[in-house]
Coordinates of all heavy atoms in Angstrom, one line a residue:
M1 N 13.0 -11.8 12.0 CA 12.9 -11.8 10.5 C 11.5 -11.4 10.1 O 10.5 -11.7 10.8 CB 13.2 -13.3 10.0 CG 13.0 -13.4 8.6 SD 13.4 -15.0 7.8 CE 12.2 -16.1 8.5
K2 N 11.5 -10.6 9.1 CA 10.2 -10.2 8.5 C 10.0 -11.0 7.1 O 11.0 -11.2 6.4 CB 10.2 -8.7 8.2 CG 10.2 -7.9 9.5 CD 10.2 -6.4 9.1 CE 10.3 -5.6 10.4 NZ 10.1 -4.2 10.2
I3 N 8.8 -11.3 6.8 CA 8.5 -12.1 5.6 C 7.7 -11.1 4.7 O 6.7 -10.6 5.1 CB 7.8 -13.4 5.8 CG1 8.5 -14.3 6.8 CG2 7.4 -14.1 4.5 CD1 7.8 -15.5 7.2
L4 N 8.2 -11.0 3.4 CA 7.4 -10.2 2.4 C 6.8 -11.1 1.4 O 7.5 -11.9 0.8 CB 8.4 -9.2 1.7 CG 7.8 -8.3 0.7 CD1 6.9 -7.3 1.3 CD2 8.9 -7.7 -0.1
V5 N 5.5 -11.0 1.3 CA 4.8 -11.9 0.4 C 4.1 -11.1 -0.7 O 3.2 -10.3 -0.4 CB 3.7 -12.8 1.1 CG1 3.0 -13.7 0.2 CG2 4.3 -13.5 2.3
P6 N 4.5 -11.2 -1.9 CA 3.8 -10.5 -3.0 C 2.5 -11.2 -3.4 O 2.5 -12.4 -3.4 CB 4.8 -10.5 -4.2 CG 5.7 -11.7 -3.9 CD 5.7 -11.9 -2.4
V7 N 1.4 -10.5 -3.6 CA 0.1 -11.1 -3.9 C -0.4 -10.4 -5.2 O -0.2 -9.2 -5.4 CB -0.9 -11.1 -2.8 CG1 -0.4 -11.9 -1.6 CG2 -1.2 -9.7 -2.3
K8 N -1.2 -11.1 -6.0 CA -1.7 -10.6 -7.2 C -3.2 -10.8 -7.2 O -3.7 -11.8 -6.8 CB -1.1 -11.2 -8.4 CG -1.6 -10.8 -9.7 CD -0.5 -10.3 -10.6 CE -0.9 -10.0 -12.0 NZ -1.3 -8.6 -12.1
R9 N -3.9 -9.8 -7.7 CA -5.4 -9.9 -7.9 C -5.7 -10.4 -9.3 O -5.2 -9.9 -10.3 CB -6.0 -8.5 -7.8 CG -7.4 -8.3 -7.9 CD -7.8 -6.9 -7.6 NE -9.2 -6.7 -7.8 CZ -9.8 -6.1 -8.8 NH1 -9.1 -5.6 -9.8 NH2 -11.1 -6.0 -8.9
V10 N -6.4 -11.6 -9.3 CA -6.7 -12.2 -10.6 C -8.1 -12.6 -10.7 O -8.9 -12.5 -9.7 CB -5.8 -13.5 -10.8 CG1 -4.3 -13.2 -10.8 CG2 -6.1 -14.5 -9.7
V11 N -8.6 -13.0 -11.8 CA -9.9 -13.5 -12.0 C -10.1 -14.7 -11.1 O -9.3 -15.6 -11.1 CB -10.2 -13.8 -13.5 CG1 -11.6 -14.4 -13.6 CG2 -10.1 -12.6 -14.3
D12 N -11.2 -14.8 -10.4 CA -11.5 -15.9 -9.5 C -11.4 -17.2 -10.3 O -11.9 -17.3 -11.4 CB -12.9 -15.7 -8.9 CG -13.1 -16.7 -7.8 OD1 -13.2 -17.9 -8.1 OD2 -13.3 -16.3 -6.6
A13 N -10.9 -18.2 -9.7 CA -10.7 -19.5 -10.3 C -12.0 -20.2 -10.7 O -12.1 -21.1 -11.6 CB -9.8 -20.5 -9.5
N14 N -13.1 -19.8 -10.0 CA -14.4 -20.5 -10.3 C -15.2 -19.8 -11.3 O -16.3 -20.2 -11.6 CB -15.2 -20.5 -9.0 CG -14.5 -21.3 -7.9 OD1 -13.9 -22.4 -8.2 ND2 -14.5 -20.8 -6.7
V15 N -14.6 -18.7 -11.9 CA -15.4 -17.9 -13.0 C -14.9 -18.4 -14.3 O -13.7 -18.6 -14.6 CB -15.1 -16.4 -12.7 CG1 -15.7 -15.6 -13.9 CG2 -15.6 -16.0 -11.4
K16 N -15.8 -18.5 -15.2 CA -15.5 -18.8 -16.6 C -15.0 -17.5 -17.3 O -15.7 -16.5 -17.4 CB -16.7 -19.4 -17.4 CG -16.4 -19.8 -18.8 CD -17.6 -20.5 -19.4 CE -17.2 -20.9 -20.8 NZ -18.3 -21.5 -21.6
V17 N -13.8 -17.6 -17.8 CA -13.2 -16.4 -18.5 C -13.7 -16.3 -19.9 O -13.9 -17.2 -20.6 CB -11.7 -16.6 -18.5 CG1 -11.0 -15.4 -19.2 CG2 -11.1 -16.8 -17.1
R18 N -14.0 -15.0 -20.3 CA -14.5 -14.7 -21.6 C -13.5 -13.8 -22.3 O -12.9 -12.9 -21.7 CB -15.8 -14.0 -21.6 CG -17.0 -14.8 -21.0 CD -18.3 -14.1 -21.1 NE -18.2 -12.7 -20.9 CZ -18.7 -12.1 -19.8 NH1 -19.4 -12.7 -18.9 NH2 -18.5 -10.8 -19.6
V19 N -13.2 -14.1 -23.6 CA -12.3 -13.3 -24.4 C -13.1 -12.0 -24.9 O -14.3 -12.1 -25.2 CB -11.8 -14.1 -25.6 CG1 -10.9 -13.2 -26.5 CG2 -11.1 -15.3 -25.1
K20 N -12.4 -10.9 -24.9 CA -13.0 -9.7 -25.5 C -13.4 -9.9 -26.9 O -12.9 -10.7 -27.6 CB -12.1 -8.5 -25.4 CG -11.8 -8.0 -24.0 CD -10.9 -6.8 -24.0 CE -10.7 -6.3 -22.6 NZ -9.8 -5.1 -22.6
A21 N -14.4 -9.1 -27.4 CA -14.9 -9.2 -28.8 C -13.7 -9.0 -29.8 O -13.7 -9.6 -30.8 CB -16.0 -8.2 -29.0
D22 N -12.8 -8.1 -29.5 CA -11.7 -7.8 -30.4 C -10.6 -8.9 -30.4 O -9.7 -8.9 -31.2 CB -11.1 -6.5 -30.2 CG -10.5 -6.3 -28.8 OD1 -10.4 -7.3 -28.0 OD2 -10.1 -5.2 -28.5
G23 N -10.7 -9.9 -29.4 CA -9.8 -11.0 -29.3 C -8.4 -10.6 -28.7 O -7.5 -11.4 -28.8
L24 N -8.3 -9.4 -28.1 CA -7.0 -8.9 -27.6 C -6.9 -8.9 -26.1 O -6.1 -8.2 -25.6 CB -6.8 -7.5 -28.2 CG -6.6 -7.4 -29.7 CD1 -6.5 -5.9 -30.1 CD2 -5.5 -8.2 -30.2
G25 N -7.7 -9.7 -25.5 CA -7.6 -9.7 -24.0 C -8.8 -10.4 -23.4 O -9.6 -11.0 -24.1
V26 N -8.9 -10.3 -22.1 CA -9.9 -11.0 -21.3 C -10.9 -10.0 -20.8 O -10.5 -8.9 -20.4 CB -9.3 -11.8 -20.1 CG1 -10.3 -12.4 -19.2 CG2 -8.3 -12.8 -20.6
E27 N -12.2 -10.3 -20.9 CA -13.2 -9.4 -20.4 C -13.2 -9.4 -18.9 O -13.4 -10.4 -18.2 CB -14.6 -9.9 -20.9 CG -15.7 -9.0 -20.6 CD -15.6 -7.6 -21.2 OE1 -15.4 -7.6 -22.4 OE2 -15.7 -6.6 -20.5
L28 N -12.9 -8.2 -18.3 CA -12.8 -8.0 -16.8 C -14.0 -7.3 -16.2 O -14.1 -7.2 -15.0 CB -11.5 -7.3 -16.5 CG -10.2 -8.1 -16.8 CD1 -9.0 -7.3 -16.5 CD2 -10.2 -9.4 -16.2
A29 N -14.9 -6.7 -17.0 CA -16.0 -6.0 -16.5 C -17.0 -7.0 -15.8 O -17.3 -8.0 -16.4 CB -16.7 -5.2 -17.6
N30 N -17.4 -6.7 -14.6 CA -18.4 -7.5 -13.9 C -17.9 -8.9 -13.7 O -18.7 -9.8 -13.7 CB -19.8 -7.5 -14.6 CG -20.3 -6.1 -14.7 OD1 -20.2 -5.3 -13.8 ND2 -21.0 -5.8 -15.8
V31 N -16.6 -9.1 -13.4 CA -16.0 -10.4 -13.2 C -15.5 -10.4 -11.8 O -14.9 -9.5 -11.3 CB -14.9 -10.7 -14.2 CG1 -14.2 -12.0 -13.8 CG2 -15.4 -10.8 -15.6
K32 N -15.8 -11.5 -11.0 CA -15.3 -11.6 -9.7 C -13.8 -11.8 -9.6 O -13.3 -12.7 -10.4 CB -16.0 -12.8 -9.0 CG -15.6 -12.9 -7.5 CD -16.3 -14.1 -6.9 CE -15.8 -14.2 -5.4 NZ -16.2 -15.4 -4.8
M33 N -13.1 -11.0 -8.8 CA -11.7 -11.1 -8.7 C -11.3 -11.7 -7.3 O -12.1 -11.6 -6.4 CB -11.0 -9.8 -8.9 CG -11.4 -9.1 -10.2 SD -10.8 -9.9 -11.6 CE -9.2 -9.1 -11.7
A34 N -10.1 -12.3 -7.2 CA -9.7 -13.0 -6.0 C -8.2 -13.0 -6.0 O -7.5 -12.6 -6.9 CB -10.2 -14.4 -5.9
M35 N -7.6 -13.4 -4.8 CA -6.2 -13.6 -4.7 C -5.7 -14.8 -5.6 O -6.4 -15.8 -5.6 CB -5.8 -13.8 -3.3 CG -4.3 -13.9 -3.0 SD -3.8 -14.3 -1.4 CE -4.6 -13.1 -0.4
N36 N -4.6 -14.7 -6.2 CA -4.0 -15.8 -7.0 C -3.9 -17.0 -6.0 O -3.3 -16.8 -4.9 CB -2.6 -15.4 -7.5 CG -2.0 -16.4 -8.3 OD1 -2.2 -17.6 -8.1 ND2 -1.2 -16.0 -9.2
P37 N -4.4 -18.2 -6.3 CA -4.3 -19.3 -5.4 C -2.9 -19.6 -5.0 O -2.7 -20.1 -3.8 CB -4.9 -20.4 -6.3 CG -5.7 -19.8 -7.3 CD -5.1 -18.5 -7.6
F38 N -1.9 -19.5 -5.8 CA -0.5 -19.8 -5.4 C 0.0 -18.7 -4.4 O 0.7 -19.1 -3.5 CB 0.4 -19.8 -6.6 CG 0.0 -20.9 -7.6 CD1 -0.7 -20.6 -8.8 CD2 0.3 -22.3 -7.3 CE1 -1.0 -21.7 -9.6 CE2 -0.1 -23.3 -8.1 CZ -0.8 -23.0 -9.3
D39 N -0.5 -17.5 -4.5 CA -0.1 -16.5 -3.6 C -0.8 -16.7 -2.2 O -0.2 -16.5 -1.2 CB -0.5 -15.1 -4.1 CG 0.2 -14.7 -5.3 OD1 1.2 -15.3 -5.6 OD2 -0.3 -13.7 -6.0
E40 N -2.0 -17.3 -2.3 CA -2.7 -17.7 -1.0 C -1.9 -18.7 -0.3 O -1.8 -18.7 0.9 CB -4.1 -18.1 -1.4 CG -5.0 -18.3 -0.2 CD -6.5 -18.6 -0.6 OE1 -6.8 -18.4 -1.8 OE2 -7.2 -19.0 0.3
I41 N -1.4 -19.7 -1.0 CA -0.6 -20.7 -0.4 C 0.7 -20.1 0.2 O 1.1 -20.5 1.3 CB -0.2 -21.8 -1.5 CG1 -1.4 -22.6 -1.9 CG2 0.9 -22.7 -0.9 CD1 -1.2 -23.4 -3.1
A42 N 1.3 -19.1 -0.4 CA 2.5 -18.4 0.1 C 2.1 -17.7 1.4 O 2.9 -17.7 2.3 CB 3.0 -17.5 -0.9
V43 N 1.0 -17.1 1.5 CA 0.6 -16.4 2.7 C 0.4 -17.4 3.8 O 0.8 -17.2 4.9 CB -0.7 -15.5 2.5 CG1 -1.2 -15.0 3.8 CG2 -0.5 -14.4 1.5
E44 N -0.3 -18.5 3.5 CA -0.5 -19.6 4.5 C 0.9 -20.1 5.0 O 1.0 -20.3 6.2 CB -1.3 -20.7 3.9 CG -2.7 -20.3 3.7 CD -3.5 -21.4 2.9 OE1 -2.9 -22.4 2.5 OE2 -4.7 -21.2 2.7
E45 N 1.8 -20.3 4.2 CA 3.1 -20.8 4.6 C 3.9 -19.7 5.4 O 4.5 -20.1 6.4 CB 4.0 -21.2 3.4 CG 5.3 -21.8 3.7 CD 5.2 -23.1 4.5 OE1 4.2 -23.8 4.4 OE2 6.1 -23.4 5.3
A46 N 3.7 -18.5 5.1 CA 4.3 -17.4 5.9 C 3.7 -17.4 7.3 O 4.4 -17.2 8.3 CB 4.1 -16.0 5.2
I47 N 2.4 -17.6 7.4 CA 1.8 -17.7 8.7 C 2.3 -18.9 9.5 O 2.5 -18.8 10.7 CB 0.2 -17.8 8.5 CG1 -0.3 -16.4 7.9 CG2 -0.5 -18.1 9.8 CD1 -1.7 -16.5 7.4
R48 N 2.5 -20.0 8.8 CA 3.0 -21.2 9.5 C 4.4 -20.9 10.1 O 4.8 -21.3 11.2 CB 3.1 -22.4 8.6 CG 1.8 -23.1 8.4 CD 2.0 -24.4 7.6 NE 0.7 -24.8 7.0 CZ 0.4 -24.6 5.7 NH1 1.2 -24.1 4.9 NH2 -0.8 -25.0 5.3
I49 N 5.3 -20.2 9.3 CA 6.6 -19.9 9.7 C 6.6 -18.9 10.9 O 7.3 -19.1 11.9 CB 7.4 -19.2 8.6 CG1 7.6 -20.3 7.5 CG2 8.7 -18.6 9.0 CD1 8.2 -19.7 6.2
K50 N 5.6 -18.0 10.9 CA 5.5 -17.0 12.0 C 5.0 -17.8 13.3 O 5.5 -17.5 14.4 CB 4.5 -15.9 11.6 CG 4.4 -14.9 12.7 CD 3.4 -13.8 12.4 CE 3.2 -12.9 13.6 NZ 2.1 -12.0 13.4
E51 N 4.1 -18.7 13.1 CA 3.5 -19.4 14.3 C 4.6 -20.3 14.9 O 4.6 -20.6 16.0 CB 2.3 -20.2 13.9 CG 1.1 -19.3 13.6 CD -0.1 -20.1 13.1 OE1 0.1 -21.3 12.6 OE2 -1.2 -19.5 13.0
A52 N 5.6 -20.8 14.0 CA 6.7 -21.6 14.5 C 7.7 -20.8 15.3 O 8.7 -21.3 15.8 CB 7.3 -22.4 13.4
G53 N 7.6 -19.4 15.3 CA 8.5 -18.6 16.0 C 9.7 -18.2 15.2 O 10.7 -17.6 15.7
K54 N 9.7 -18.4 13.9 CA 10.9 -18.1 13.1 C 10.8 -16.8 12.4 O 11.7 -16.4 11.7 CB 11.1 -19.2 12.0 CG 11.3 -20.6 12.6 CD 11.5 -21.6 11.5 CE 11.7 -23.0 12.2 NZ 11.8 -24.1 11.2
A55 N 9.7 -16.1 12.5 CA 9.5 -14.8 11.9 C 8.6 -13.9 12.9 O 7.8 -14.5 13.7 CB 8.8 -14.8 10.6
E56 N 8.8 -12.6 12.8 CA 8.0 -11.8 13.7 C 6.9 -11.0 13.0 O 6.0 -10.5 13.7 CB 8.9 -10.8 14.5 CG 9.8 -10.0 13.6 CD 10.9 -9.2 14.4 OE1 11.6 -9.8 15.2 OE2 10.9 -8.0 14.2
E57 N 7.0 -10.8 11.7 CA 6.1 -10.0 11.0 C 5.9 -10.5 9.5 O 6.9 -10.9 8.9 CB 6.5 -8.5 11.0 CG 5.5 -7.6 10.4 CD 5.9 -6.1 10.5 OE1 7.1 -5.8 10.5 OE2 5.0 -5.3 10.5
I58 N 4.7 -10.5 9.1 CA 4.3 -10.8 7.7 C 3.8 -9.6 7.0 O 2.8 -9.0 7.5 CB 3.3 -11.9 7.6 CG1 3.8 -13.2 8.3 CG2 2.9 -12.3 6.2 CD1 2.8 -14.3 8.5
I59 N 4.4 -9.2 5.9 CA 4.0 -8.0 5.1 C 3.6 -8.5 3.7 O 4.4 -9.2 3.1 CB 5.1 -7.0 5.0 CG1 5.6 -6.6 6.4 CG2 4.7 -5.8 4.2 CD1 7.0 -5.9 6.4
V60 N 2.4 -8.2 3.3 CA 1.9 -8.5 2.0 C 2.0 -7.3 1.1 O 1.7 -6.2 1.6 CB 0.5 -9.2 1.9 CG1 0.5 -10.5 2.6 CG2 -0.5 -8.3 2.6
V61 N 2.3 -7.4 -0.2 CA 2.4 -6.3 -1.1 C 1.8 -6.6 -2.4 O 1.9 -7.8 -2.8 CB 3.9 -5.8 -1.2 CG1 4.7 -6.9 -1.9 CG2 4.0 -4.5 -2.0
S62 N 1.1 -5.6 -3.0 CA 0.5 -5.8 -4.3 C 0.7 -4.6 -5.1 O 0.7 -3.5 -4.6 CB -1.0 -6.1 -4.1 OG -1.6 -6.5 -5.4
V63 N 0.8 -4.7 -6.4 CA 0.9 -3.6 -7.4 C -0.3 -3.7 -8.3 O -0.6 -4.7 -8.9 CB 2.2 -3.7 -8.2 CG1 2.2 -2.6 -9.2 CG2 3.4 -3.7 -7.3
G64 N -1.1 -2.6 -8.3 CA -2.3 -2.6 -9.1 C -3.2 -1.5 -8.8 O -2.9 -0.5 -8.1
P65 N -4.5 -1.6 -9.3 CA -5.5 -0.5 -9.0 C -6.0 -0.5 -7.6 O -5.7 -1.4 -6.8 CB -6.6 -0.9 -10.0 CG -6.5 -2.4 -10.1 CD -5.0 -2.7 -10.1
Q66 N -6.7 0.5 -7.3 CA -7.3 0.6 -5.9 C -8.1 -0.6 -5.5 O -8.1 -1.0 -4.3 CB -8.2 1.9 -5.9 CG -8.7 2.3 -4.5 CD -7.5 2.8 -3.6 OE1 -6.6 3.4 -4.1 NE2 -7.6 2.6 -2.3
Q67 N -8.7 -1.3 -6.4 CA -9.5 -2.5 -6.1 C -8.6 -3.6 -5.5 O -9.1 -4.6 -4.9 CB -10.3 -3.0 -7.3 CG -11.3 -2.1 -7.8 CD -10.8 -1.0 -8.8 OE1 -9.6 -0.9 -8.9 NE2 -11.7 -0.4 -9.5
A68 N -7.3 -3.6 -5.7 CA -6.4 -4.6 -5.2 C -6.4 -4.6 -3.6 O -5.9 -5.5 -3.0 CB -5.0 -4.4 -5.7
Q69 N -7.0 -3.5 -3.0 CA -7.1 -3.5 -1.6 C -7.9 -4.7 -1.1 O -7.6 -5.2 0.0 CB -7.8 -2.2 -1.1 CG -6.9 -1.0 -1.0 CD -7.7 0.2 -0.4 OE1 -8.9 0.1 -0.2 NE2 -7.0 1.3 -0.2
E70 N -8.9 -5.1 -1.8 CA -9.7 -6.3 -1.4 C -8.8 -7.5 -1.2 O -9.0 -8.3 -0.3 CB -10.8 -6.6 -2.4 CG -11.8 -5.4 -2.6 CD -12.6 -5.6 -3.9 OE1 -12.6 -6.7 -4.5 OE2 -13.3 -4.7 -4.3
T71 N -7.9 -7.7 -2.1 CA -7.0 -8.8 -2.0 C -6.1 -8.7 -0.8 O -5.8 -9.7 -0.1 CB -6.1 -8.9 -3.3 OG1 -7.0 -9.0 -4.4 CG2 -5.2 -10.1 -3.3
L72 N -5.6 -7.5 -0.6 CA -4.7 -7.3 0.6 C -5.5 -7.5 1.9 O -5.0 -8.1 2.9 CB -4.1 -5.9 0.6 CG -3.1 -5.6 -0.6 CD1 -2.7 -4.2 -0.6 CD2 -1.9 -6.5 -0.5
R73 N -6.8 -7.1 1.9 CA -7.6 -7.3 3.1 C -7.8 -8.8 3.4 O -7.9 -9.2 4.5 CB -9.0 -6.6 2.9 CG -8.9 -5.1 3.1 CD -10.2 -4.5 3.2 NE -10.1 -3.0 3.3 CZ -10.5 -2.2 2.4 NH1 -11.2 -2.6 1.3 NH2 -10.3 -0.9 2.6
T74 N -7.9 -9.6 2.3 CA -8.0 -11.0 2.4 C -6.8 -11.6 3.1 O -6.9 -12.4 4.0 CB -8.2 -11.7 1.1 OG1 -9.4 -11.2 0.5 CG2 -8.3 -13.2 1.2
A75 N -5.6 -11.1 2.7 CA -4.4 -11.6 3.3 C -4.3 -11.2 4.8 O -3.8 -11.9 5.6 CB -3.2 -11.1 2.5
L76 N -4.7 -10.0 5.1 CA -4.8 -9.5 6.5 C -5.7 -10.4 7.3 O -5.4 -10.7 8.4 CB -5.2 -8.0 6.5 CG -4.1 -7.0 6.0 CD1 -4.7 -5.6 5.9 CD2 -2.9 -7.0 6.9
A77 N -6.8 -10.7 6.7 CA -7.8 -11.6 7.4 C -7.2 -13.0 7.7 O -7.5 -13.6 8.7 CB -9.1 -11.7 6.7
M78 N -6.3 -13.4 6.8 CA -5.7 -14.7 6.9 C -4.7 -14.7 8.1 O -4.4 -15.8 8.6 CB -5.0 -15.1 5.6 CG -6.0 -15.5 4.5 SD -5.1 -15.7 2.9 CE -4.2 -17.2 3.3
G79 N -4.1 -13.5 8.4 CA -3.1 -13.5 9.4 C -1.9 -12.6 9.2 O -1.0 -12.5 10.0
A80 N -1.8 -12.0 8.0 CA -0.7 -11.1 7.8 C -0.8 -9.9 8.7 O -1.9 -9.5 9.1 CB -0.7 -10.6 6.3
D81 N 0.3 -9.3 9.0 CA 0.4 -8.1 9.9 C 0.2 -6.8 9.2 O -0.4 -5.9 9.8 CB 1.7 -8.2 10.7 CG 1.9 -9.4 11.5 OD1 1.0 -9.7 12.3 OD2 2.9 -10.2 11.2
R82 N 0.8 -6.6 8.1 CA 0.7 -5.4 7.4 C 0.5 -5.6 5.9 O 0.8 -6.7 5.4 CB 2.0 -4.5 7.5 CG 2.2 -3.9 8.9 CD 3.3 -2.9 8.9 NE 4.6 -3.4 8.5 CZ 5.5 -2.7 7.9 NH1 5.3 -1.4 7.6 NH2 6.7 -3.2 7.6
A83 N 0.0 -4.6 5.2 CA -0.2 -4.7 3.7 C 0.2 -3.4 3.1 O 0.0 -2.3 3.6 CB -1.7 -5.0 3.4
I84 N 0.8 -3.5 1.9 CA 1.3 -2.3 1.1 C 0.7 -2.5 -0.3 O 0.8 -3.5 -0.9 CB 2.8 -2.3 1.1 CG1 3.4 -2.2 2.4 CG2 3.2 -1.1 0.2 CD1 4.9 -2.3 2.5
L85 N 0.1 -1.4 -0.7 CA -0.5 -1.3 -2.1 C 0.3 -0.3 -2.9 O 0.3 0.9 -2.5 CB -2.0 -1.0 -2.1 CG -2.6 -0.7 -3.5 CD1 -2.5 -2.0 -4.4 CD2 -4.0 -0.3 -3.4
V86 N 1.0 -0.7 -3.9 CA 1.6 0.3 -4.9 C 0.6 0.5 -5.9 O 0.3 -0.3 -6.8 CB 2.9 -0.3 -5.5 CG1 3.5 0.7 -6.4 CG2 3.9 -0.7 -4.3
K87 N -0.1 1.7 -5.8 CA -1.3 1.9 -6.7 C -0.8 2.4 -8.1 O 0.0 3.3 -8.2 CB -2.2 3.0 -6.0 CG -3.4 3.2 -6.7 CD -4.3 4.2 -6.0 CE -5.3 4.7 -7.0 NZ -5.8 6.1 -6.7
T88 N -1.4 1.8 -9.1 CA -1.2 2.2 -10.5 C -2.4 1.9 -11.3 O -3.0 0.8 -11.0 CB 0.1 1.6 -11.1 OG1 0.2 2.0 -12.5 CG2 0.0 0.1 -11.1
D89 N -2.8 2.7 -12.1 CA -4.0 2.5 -13.0 C -3.6 1.9 -14.3 O -4.4 1.6 -15.2 CB -4.8 3.7 -13.1 CG -5.5 4.1 -11.8 OD1 -5.9 3.2 -11.1 OD2 -5.7 5.3 -11.6
E90 N -2.3 1.8 -14.6 CA -1.8 1.2 -15.8 C -1.8 -0.3 -15.8 O -1.8 -0.9 -14.7 CB -0.3 1.7 -16.1 CG -0.2 3.2 -16.3 CD 1.2 3.6 -16.5 OE1 2.0 2.7 -16.9 OE2 1.5 4.8 -16.3
Q91 N -1.9 -0.9 -16.9 CA -1.9 -2.3 -17.0 C -0.5 -2.8 -16.6 O 0.5 -2.4 -17.2 CB -2.2 -2.8 -18.4 CG -2.3 -4.3 -18.6 CD -3.6 -4.9 -18.0 OE1 -4.2 -4.3 -17.1 NE2 -4.0 -6.0 -18.5
T92 N -0.4 -3.7 -15.6 CA 0.9 -4.1 -15.2 C 1.2 -5.5 -15.7 O 0.3 -6.4 -15.8 CB 1.0 -4.1 -13.6 OG1 0.0 -4.9 -13.1 CG2 0.9 -2.7 -13.1
E93 N 2.5 -5.8 -16.1 CA 2.9 -7.1 -16.5 C 3.9 -7.6 -15.4 O 4.6 -6.8 -14.8 CB 3.7 -7.0 -17.8 CG 2.8 -6.5 -19.0 CD 1.7 -7.6 -19.3 OE1 2.0 -8.8 -19.1 OE2 0.6 -7.2 -19.7
P94 N 3.9 -8.9 -15.2 CA 4.7 -9.5 -14.2 C 6.2 -9.1 -14.2 O 6.8 -8.8 -13.2 CB 4.6 -11.0 -14.4 CG 3.3 -11.2 -15.0 CD 3.1 -9.9 -15.9
L95 N 6.8 -9.0 -15.4 CA 8.2 -8.7 -15.5 C 8.4 -7.2 -15.0 O 9.4 -6.9 -14.3 CB 8.7 -8.9 -16.9 CG 10.2 -8.6 -17.1 CD1 11.1 -9.5 -16.2 CD2 10.6 -8.8 -18.5
G96 N 7.5 -6.3 -15.4 CA 7.6 -4.9 -15.0 C 7.4 -4.7 -13.5 O 8.1 -3.9 -12.9
V97 N 6.5 -5.5 -12.9 CA 6.3 -5.4 -11.5 C 7.6 -5.9 -10.7 O 8.0 -5.4 -9.8 CB 5.1 -6.3 -11.0 CG1 5.0 -6.4 -9.5 CG2 3.8 -5.6 -11.6
A98 N 8.2 -7.0 -11.2 CA 9.4 -7.6 -10.6 C 10.5 -6.6 -10.7 O 11.3 -6.4 -9.7 CB 9.8 -8.9 -11.3

């Protein structure tokens, strides 16, 4: 069995989020980004399943800009076997990605 884990690049949980001056979004310039904490838990659980011998490969996938590679590299460092980046420079919404 192979396990596919979707991961998302989000603003780091330890960073204070600022609203843009126009009030229509979040300021992302010069903000530290990280893997969504819930996605990190999902990667850890996939690793546990693999270590128990119930899976043979863990694949992480992300949809987003080129910078999302950092998030995928984090998942690879945690123990995932492969990573796939669907690169897009457009603003993605969860429903559209799904």
Side-chain angles (χ1 to χ4, degrees):
M1 174 173 69
K2 295 182 182 185
I3 301 174
L4 179 69
V5 182
V7 296
K8 180 127 175 89
R9 180 175 179 256
V10 296
V11 176
D12 190 297
N14 299 318
V15 173
K16 185 175 180 184
V17 179
R18 294 184 323 247
V19 178
K20 288 183 179 178
D22 61 7
L24 297 176
V26 175
E27 186 63 51
L28 297 177
N30 300 321
V31 174
K32 183 180 177 193
M33 304 294 273
M35 183 187 305
N36 182 330
F38 297 105
D39 296 344
E40 192 171 345
I41 293 168
V43 172
E44 290 172 356
E45 185 60 29
I47 293 167
R48 284 190 199 101
I49 293 169
K50 182 181 175 190
E51 289 174 347
K54 297 179 182 177
E56 57 188 51
E57 185 175 28
I58 300 168
I59 305 163
V60 291
V61 64
S62 187
V63 178
Q66 189 69 31
Q67 295 88 346
Q69 278 187 356
E70 299 167 11
T71 304
L72 294 174
R73 285 191 183 116
T74 301
L76 290 170
M78 291 171 67
D81 299 303
R82 287 194 299 149
I84 300 170
L85 173 62
V86 179
K87 187 179 163 207
T88 179
D89 292 326
E90 295 181 21
Q91 183 75 334
T92 57
E93 294 295 327
L95 184 59
V97 172

